[in-house]
Amino acid sequence: WIFARIDREDVPLETLRRMIHHHLALNMAFYGPGKGFGLFRKHAHQYLALPNLTRTKRVRIIIQESGQAFLSALDETFAGLA
C-alpha cells in the first residue's frame, strides 16, 4: 500500500493479514525461525497499530513465542474483526 499510495486506513484487513504472513515467512526463511521471528516482532507492532484492534488483542498476538503461534493468534483475532 505504501508504493501504491494507498492510505493505511484504506488497506483491506485481508490484504494486511496476507502481507504480515508473507513478511514473517520471508524473515524466517532468511534469518532462521528464531532470529527471523524476533526481528519481525519490531515490524509487527507497526502492522498491528489499527484503531479497531484493542491493546489487549495486540498484546495477545505479540506475546506468542513462535511464528506459527503468532500467525494463529493473528488469524483468529483478524477473523473476529472482519
Side-chain angles (χ1 to χ4, degrees):
W1 58 84
I2 294 169
F3 300 112
R5 296 188 178 170
I6 299 171
D7 288 335
R8 173 71 190 278
E9 57 271 2
D10 295 333
V11 176
L13 197 58
E14 179 58 21
T15 300
L16 178 62
R17 190 191 71 77
R18 283 194 319 261
M19 179 56 69
I20 293 171
H21 273 256
H22 182 67
H23 189 172
L24 177 55
L26 290 175
N27 258 37
M28 291 174 65
F30 188 79
Y31 294 107
K35 186 175 182 179
F37 178 60
L39 291 171
F40 176 78
R41 279 185 167 159
K42 295 176 185 178
H43 299 282
H45 285 281
Q46 292 300 314
Y47 280 131
L48 298 176
L50 303 170
N52 58 340
L53 190 62
T54 65
R55 182 181 188 284
T56 302
K57 289 179 181 179
R58 268 195 309 276
V59 169
R60 181 181 168 276
I61 297 168
I62 294 292
I63 64 168
Q64 301 304 313
E65 296 190 14
S66 72
Q68 186 57 47
F70 175 93
L71 293 176
S72 293
L74 174 85
D75 291 346
E76 182 180 309
T77 301
F78 274 32
L81 296 176

